[in-house]
Amino acid sequence: MQKITMVKKVIGDGSPCRKCARAEEMLRARGAWERIDEVLVFRESEPDGDGAQLARRYGVTSAPFFVI
């Protein structure tokens, strides 16, 4: 079984990025949110956080992104 991780971004003022919020809304509306096993947050204020580390590891520069 595969694990699905979603990484979403929180901008400097603490609010979620619009694209990430829309992606979550869409996943919930389509009944797919339950398939997400883990959600990590990329906070601009925490360059060494879990979300930031995963982004660097995979060379991702935009959010949201998914790792399967």
Side-chain angles (χ1 to χ4, degrees):
M1 178 137 181
Q2 296 178 342
K3 176 181 173 185
I4 300 173
T5 299
M6 176 183 185
V7 178
K8 55 186 189 175
K9 182 178 178 181
V10 172
I11 59 177
D13 69 1
S15 61
C17 85
R18 272 186 296 207
K19 195 163 101 176
C20 296
R22 264 186 290 162
E24 183 174 337
E25 288 173 16
M26 186 185 314
L27 289 167
R28 288 183 186 278
R30 294 180 179 180
W33 184 252
E34 296 77 30
R35 298 187 69 195
I36 305 297
D37 298 302
E38 178 180 34
V39 178
L40 297 178
V41 178
F42 179 104
R43 297 181 193 281
E44 289 182 339
S45 62
E46 296 177 15
D48 292 324
D50 292 339
Q53 289 179 26
L54 203 58
R56 278 193 302 275
R57 183 157 101 192
Y58 290 103
V60 178
T61 59
S62 64
F65 68 93
F66 300 83
V67 178
I68 301 173

